[in-house]
Amino acid sequence: MAEHRSMQRAALLDAARTLLSEGGTEALTFPALAERTGLARSSVYEYFRSRAAVVEELCEVDFPVWAAEVEAAMAGEPSAEGKVEAYVRSQLALVGDRRHRAVVAISASELDAGAREKIRAAHGGLVAMIVEALGDLGHAQPRLAAMLLQGVVDAAVRRIELGAAEEPGAITDAAVTMALRGVRG
C-alpha cells in the first residue's frame, strides 16, 4: 500500500511539473492535477493540503537534483575558469528540461514563506559552489562576484525561456564570455 501511495505521489509531482512548465503557477490547480493523474480531486487533498505544499515538495525533490548536475559538471573541470564555464553552461543546458522550467515558474511566482526559504537555500547552495572558483581566479569579493554571476545566468535563462531572437547556444556562449571576460567580450 505504501508503495502504491508513493507512486501516486510521484505521479502527482510529475503532473505538477508538466502543468508548471506549460502554464506557470496559475496552471497548477488541484482540478488540473486530478485530471492529469486520473485521481479524484479529494484524493489529491490526501497527498497535499495546498498548492504551496506541492510547490515545496517539488523544490525539495528537484532543486537538489539540479544542483547535483551543476556540481558534477564543475567537478569534471580542473581549472577555476573551467569550473566557472561549467557552472554557467550546465545551468543553461537544463533550461529545456521540464524540471528546470517548473523550478523557474516556481521561482517567479508568489510563494509562501516556507517555499521561498527552500528556494533561497537552494539558490544559496548553487552560488556557494562557485565562490571558491571565483576566489581562485583572484576575486577580492568572491561571494559578491558569485551573486552577480548568478544574475548573468538568470538573465540568460529568461532570454532562452522567452524564445529570444538568438539561438540558445548563442545566448549560452555570450553568458560564458560575460562570466569569464566581462563586458570586454
Side-chain angles (χ1 to χ4, degrees), residues 20-45:
L20 283 164
S21 68
E22 288 171 1
T25 44
E26 298 76 48
L28 180 61
T29 64
F30 278 29
L33 281 173
E35 193 183 318
R36 287 283 168 119
T37 54
L39 291 169
R41 201 183 309 183
S42 57
S43 300
V44 178
Y45 282 98

Side-chain angles (χ1 to χ4, degrees), residues 76-139:
E77 294 294 331
S79 72
E81 270 204 10
K83 286 184 193 312
V84 171
E85 181 165 348
Y87 179 82
V88 174
R89 285 192 186 281
S90 60
Q91 286 190 67
L92 296 178
L94 292 167
V95 171
D97 187 294
R98 235 165 19 110
R99 281 171 191 262
H100 181 281
R101 278 209 302 272
V103 162
V104 169
I106 289 166
S107 301
S109 69
E110 291 302 304
L111 297 173
D112 71 359
R116 261 203 316 274
E117 195 39 57
K118 287 203 169 62
I119 288 176
R120 229 191 327 275
H123 257 274
L126 268 181
V127 169
M129 284 188 232
I130 199 66
V131 170
E132 187 181 349
L134 292 170
D136 292 345
L137 283 175
H139 272 280

Side-chain angles (χ1 to χ4, degrees), residues 131-155:
V131 170
E132 187 181 349
L134 292 170
D136 292 345
L137 283 175
H139 272 280
Q141 292 181 285
R143 181 125 190 94
L144 173 60
M147 304 292 247
L148 296 174
L149 173 59
Q150 188 59 43
V152 169
V153 173
D154 292 343

